[in-house]
Amino acid sequence: LCLDNLEMIAVTIGEWIETLCSAGRREVRSVFAADKTTLKESTGLETFLFFIILVFLIAARMIHIRYVKSGNGSASGRSFAGTLLDKGTSGEFMIYSHLEKLGEPNRLLPHLHLPKSDGTTIDIDLVMIARTGIYVFESKNFSGCIFGDEDSRYWTQTMKRGPKQQFYNPIWQNESRISSLKRQLALEADAFKSYVVFSDQCTLKKMYVQSGRVKVMNRSMIVREIIKDMAELPDIFTPLEINQIYSELVPYTHTAAAIGQARIETVRLE
């Protein structure tokens, strides 16, 4: 099983457990109200619930093994439990795990928190420094169907059940992060590539993106697209320069723990 499939299993089972627990409570109340002797009928539900929890624990253990082997934990300073239980953070970890397959001389930096002139920081999900440039990733661990284009202020998420949800254009969101990186590193715009990466549990529909430096995709496509980019683009950094840029940015991977989460700006524009 690939890591994304394990994540999907864990999330799905978690939802089942919540539903089954609720159903189990309703059943027990109903049984007591009718006849206490019929409690035996709930045994099947309890057995099934136990099986579901067991599968969840096995899936979580397999993800934990992958997490320990990954450099994401030490680089981000976040615990496995905190990563697994947070939907946004777990999506960023999945991207990191895919990018690790590309190997050296690429360097990865998760959860950057660059300082701003007003004393706050700007949060960047993930950066990869490569020979062909600096790849900046905006992770959207969504499900459902996604509609949007490069020039619209808001994009739309639709689900099979429930109302439509709008969210701020992630391309614009990532551009603000790239602007901060440009100022921090004193590099030209051509050095940066913007990647907006959605979960494989969502479908991208009516997606209009024309800028050459911007790509929007599902997570399973990320390695293939970057390999294609690297084959087509010229090298602009040497391995030494990659390590120099990495050294300049790595102190900002743990800034959030030092200054407190209250001062982190997530760039949510109304």
Side-chain angles (χ1 to χ4, degrees), residues 148-153 155 169 171-172 208-212 214:
D149 66 76
E150 196 171 359
D151 299 322
S152 296
R153 184 176 181 84
W155 289 14
N169 186 330
I171 295 176
W172 294 7
Y208 301 107
V209 180
Q210 296 183 348
S211 297
V214 176

Side-chain angles (χ1 to χ4, degrees), residues 112-116 120-124 177 180-181 184 249 252 255:
L112 280 174
H113 306 286
L114 295 182
K116 298 176 63 178
T120 62
T121 63
I122 188 166
D123 189 2
I124 302 174
R177 285 133 166 82
S180 293
L181 280 168
Q184 181 71 34
L249 293 177
Y252 300 107
T255 303

Side-chain angles (χ1 to χ4, degrees), residues 119-132:
T120 62
T121 63
I122 188 166
D123 189 2
I124 302 174
D125 291 343
L126 179 61
V127 168
M128 183 178 76
I129 311 162
R131 291 178 182 269
T132 49

Side-chain angles (χ1 to χ4, degrees), residues 75-166:
S76 67
R78 298 187 179 185
S79 67
F80 169 71
T83 298
L84 180 64
L85 297 176
D86 183 89
K87 186 175 182 180
T89 306
S90 65
E92 295 163 17
F93 165 56
M94 297 297 165
I95 296 174
Y96 189 102
S97 297
H98 282 300
L99 295 177
E100 278 188 312
K101 300 173 186 176
L102 296 172
E104 297 181 350
N106 307 311
R107 303 300 299 270
L108 297 171
L109 288 161
H111 313 303
L112 280 174
H113 306 286
L114 295 182
K116 298 176 63 178
S117 57
D118 61 2
T120 62
T121 63
I122 188 166
D123 189 2
I124 302 174
D125 291 343
L126 179 61
V127 168
M128 183 178 76
I129 311 162
R131 291 178 182 269
T132 49
I134 298 174
Y135 295 78
V136 184
F137 299 91
E138 173 64 24
S139 173
K140 296 296 182 186
N141 201 20
F142 292 176
S143 55
C145 296
I146 307 297
F147 301 81
D149 66 76
E150 196 171 359
D151 299 322
S152 296
R153 184 176 181 84
Y154 294 103
W155 289 14
T156 302
Q157 176 192 28
T158 63
M159 308 291 288
K160 290 183 179 179
R161 298 183 181 87
K164 296 180 180 179
Q165 300 287 338
Q166 287 194 320

Side-chain angles (χ1 to χ4, degrees), residues 19-230:
T19 301
L20 287 170
C21 285
S22 178
R25 287 193 295 269
R26 289 196 300 270
E27 180 178 334
V28 169
R29 286 197 297 268
S30 176
V31 167
F32 268 111
D35 187 350
K36 293 182 180 181
T37 62
T38 61
L39 277 173
K40 295 180 179 179
E41 296 177 3
S42 67
T43 303
L45 176 62
E46 293 172 356
T47 302
F48 180 66
L49 183 59
F50 172 79
F51 174 76
I52 291 298
I53 294 174
L54 180 63
V55 174
F56 174 81
L57 292 175
I58 293 172
R61 175 56 179 164
M62 294 177 70
I63 297 173
H64 179 258
I65 292 172
R66 182 68 184 89
Y67 182 83
V68 170
K69 292 181 179 179
S70 168
N72 181 79
S74 58
S76 67
R78 298 187 179 185
S79 67
F80 169 71
T83 298
L84 180 64
L85 297 176
D86 183 89
K87 186 175 182 180
T89 306
S90 65
E92 295 163 17
F93 165 56
M94 297 297 165
I95 296 174
Y96 189 102
S97 297
H98 282 300
L99 295 177
E100 278 188 312
K101 300 173 186 176
L102 296 172
E104 297 181 350
N106 307 311
R107 303 300 299 270
L108 297 171
L109 288 161
H111 313 303
L112 280 174
H113 306 286
L114 295 182
K116 298 176 63 178
S117 57
D118 61 2
T120 62
T121 63
I122 188 166
D123 189 2
I124 302 174
D125 291 343
L126 179 61
V127 168
M128 183 178 76
I129 311 162
R131 291 178 182 269
T132 49
I134 298 174
Y135 295 78
V136 184
F137 299 91
E138 173 64 24
S139 173
K140 296 296 182 186
N141 201 20
F142 292 176
S143 55
C145 296
I146 307 297
F147 301 81
D149 66 76
E150 196 171 359
D151 299 322
S152 296
R153 184 176 181 84
Y154 294 103
W155 289 14
T156 302
Q157 176 192 28
T158 63
M159 308 291 288
K160 290 183 179 179
R161 298 183 181 87
K164 296 180 180 179
Q165 300 287 338
Q166 287 194 320
F167 58 100
Y168 187 69
N169 186 330
I171 295 176
W172 294 7
Q173 194 173 19
N174 215 28
E175 281 300 318
S176 66
R177 285 133 166 82
I178 290 174
S179 294
S180 293
L181 280 168
K182 282 164 54 181
R183 288 192 297 269
Q184 181 71 34
L185 299 172
L187 293 173
E188 297 296 326
D190 290 345
F192 298 89
K193 281 76 180 171
S194 177
Y195 274 61
V196 178
V197 184
F198 284 87
S199 160
D200 290 327
Q201 281 74 60
C202 75
T203 302
L204 304 180
K205 293 192 172 183
K206 296 183 180 179
M207 193 66 54
Y208 301 107
V209 180
Q210 296 183 348
S211 297
R213 293 186 301 105
V214 176
K215 293 196 175 184
V216 180
M217 69 195 69
N218 290 105
R219 198 157 50 220
S220 59
M221 298 292 294
I222 190 169
V223 172
R224 186 186 312 172
E225 287 295 327
I226 291 181
I227 290 175
K228 180 181 176 183
D229 268 2
M230 290 180 170

